[in-house]
Amino acid sequence: MSSHIEPVDPAQQRLFAGLVTGVDLTRRLSDHEVAGIHAGMDRFGVLVFRGQRLDDEQQISFSRQLGPLEQATGDIAAPQDRRVSMEVNDISNLDKHGELLPRDDRRRLFGLGNQLWHSDSSFKQVPAKYSLLSARKIPASGGNTEFADMRAAYDALDAATQREVHDLICSHSQIFSRAILGFDDFSDAEREKWAPVRQRLVRRHPITGRLSLYLASHAGGIEGWPVPEARAFLRDLTEHATQRQFVYAHVWQPWDLVIWDNRVTMHRARRYDPMQVRDMRRTTLSNEVSSLDQAP
Ligand code: OGA
Ligand code: MN
């Protein structure tokens, strides 16, 4: 059976989230299948695969077929506390023994930053290209993931705002996004490791040529602007970019795998009951260059 991609929601999300059928990601893919996934990503920005019973090794080898991976250096767990290898981001509420993290655990509180709109690894000099999130265990309710289309959001800006944002450079850090939630429990080493990096506010997709707003709650300033003015503007842009007409809400089923392109989308987790297990694993493709090299 050959793979096929159609819109997840033909009525509302014509060109934003695609549903892929007829492909088994536990096996090595043909070059043709790999090319089909890249083409689907360029067209949609988010692809949903159902019923993919991947373990970490299978997820890593599938991800590597799409491009080079980044390491999970944005995680806050100490090396001896990690449940998964450095190729995998642990998007769960569990410790390494599989027990639920206590409500006030620092790793859990840090992880709540995922509930703010963001683009993965925008706080790294070389940020993320695709993220691949596999749902191993999900809570009975809640815990959706929402995606916003930053190409459509850019296109919908008025011309004066498009001109204004065209060449702006933002500074991104996980310290900024966590400060929004009042989380400041960082060691000196973490503050140093996550010192702000520069990213363009508007970037061009190297294949499609489309422009998108490169926003994230990690963005805490705009070069040359007073901080409060920059943050007020970034907040307005985020409010604009995350209006419902730009958003696809993914309702997870166990063994879903969702891939998104961090160059053209933002995403956020939604709340769920902290007494229920939610075990998701993320592999992440490196963008290989900074957004500074993807000028419009
Ligand atoms: C991520 C992330 C959202 C979620 O994996 O990068 O932000 O719903 N996840 O868990
Ligand atoms: Mn994320």
Side-chain angles (χ1 to χ4, degrees):
M1 186 177 171
S2 68
S3 65
H4 177 77
I5 309 181
E6 63 187 67
V8 164
D9 180 350
Q12 295 195 334
Q13 301 296 338
R14 258 202 337 253
L15 283 173
F16 177 40
L19 177 67
V20 186
T21 50
V23 60
D24 175 359
L25 302 179
T26 64
R27 294 166 192 273
R28 191 163 177 83
L29 301 185
S30 67
D31 291 348
H32 181 71
E33 285 172 316
V34 169
I37 292 175
H38 284 301
M41 288 299 292
D42 289 344
R43 177 167 166 226
F44 288 96
V46 177
L47 289 181
V48 175
F49 303 72
R50 305 268 189 203
Q52 302 291 336
R53 294 181 165 261
L54 298 167
D55 62 23
D56 285 358
E57 282 315 309
Q58 290 168 324
Q59 184 173 343
I60 290 167
S61 43
F62 161 59
S63 304
R64 283 217 177 99
Q65 291 184 71
L66 301 181
L69 300 190
E70 63 163 48
Q71 298 276 301
T73 53
D75 282 5
I76 205 167
Q80 66 275 14
D81 292 334
R82 290 187 65 81
R83 311 162 62 220
V84 295
S85 77
M86 279 306 286
E87 278 73 44
V88 178
N89 278 83
D90 185 3
I91 311 293
S92 78
N93 53 356
L94 303 172
D95 69 14
K96 67 175 172 186
H97 307 296
E99 302 291 331
L100 283 169
L101 294 172
R103 192 161 186 181
D104 61 354
D105 187 282
R106 167 173 194 268
R107 289 163 288 178
R108 173 173 181 271
L109 300 180
F110 178 82
L112 293 178
N114 277 345
Q115 294 185 15
L116 305 177
W117 286 108
H118 65 282
S119 177
D120 288 332
S121 300
S122 73
F123 55 86
K124 297 182 183 178
Q125 233 134 33
V126 173
K129 182 183 177 188
Y130 301 164
S131 293
L132 303 89
L133 189 59
S134 162
R136 310 289 172 84
K137 276 215 177 81
I138 57 169
S141 63
N144 292 350
T145 306
E146 295 181 344
F147 298 92
D149 186 344
M150 307 303 285
R151 300 158 297 192
Y154 174 84
D155 291 346
L157 291 173
D158 60 69
T161 309
Q162 286 183 345
R163 273 195 300 278
E164 187 173 21
V165 294
H166 193 265
D167 286 315
L168 295 179
I169 307 285
C170 297
S171 55
H172 291 239
S173 168
Q174 298 207 96
I175 314 281
F176 294 145
S177 48
R178 270 52 189 190
I180 295 171
L181 298 181
F183 179 98
D184 61 358
D185 182 13
F186 292 107
S187 67
D188 289 345
E190 287 162 346
R191 284 180 199 281
E192 198 170 315
K193 178 163 84 166
W194 292 326
V197 303
R198 305 170 72 229
Q199 303 289 357
R200 297 194 62 90
L201 183 49
V202 180
R203 62 193 298 190
R204 182 183 291 279
H205 190 288
I207 307 290
T208 66
R210 285 190 71 182
L211 304 190
S212 50
L213 273 177
Y214 190 37
L215 287 168
S217 51
H218 306 307
I222 300 174
E223 272 180 21
W225 287 44
V227 169
E229 190 179 356
R231 291 195 183 177
F233 186 41
L234 291 170
R235 204 182 246 256
D236 281 352
L237 288 172
T238 301
E239 197 174 301
H240 160 78
T242 57
Q243 295 174 80
R244 296 323 287 180
Q245 70 265 31
F246 304 133
V247 171
Y248 163 66
H250 186 70
V251 182
W252 291 95
Q253 297 174 12
W255 305 111
D256 280 355
L257 180 105
V258 176
I259 312 182
W260 61 89
D261 186 339
N262 288 289
R263 300 171 299 183
V264 302
T265 58
M266 281 204 290
H267 61 281
R268 64 173 181 179
R270 302 286 66 212
R271 303 177 68 219
Y272 61 96
D273 176 356
M275 299 309 290
Q276 293 194 25
V277 173
R278 185 174 189 259
D279 187 358
M280 322 271 274
R281 314 284 172 99
R282 194 187 91 209
T283 40
T284 315
L285 263 55
S286 168
N287 192 51
E288 301 183 70
V289 295
S290 161
S291 66
L292 301 174
D293 296 320
Q294 294 179 324

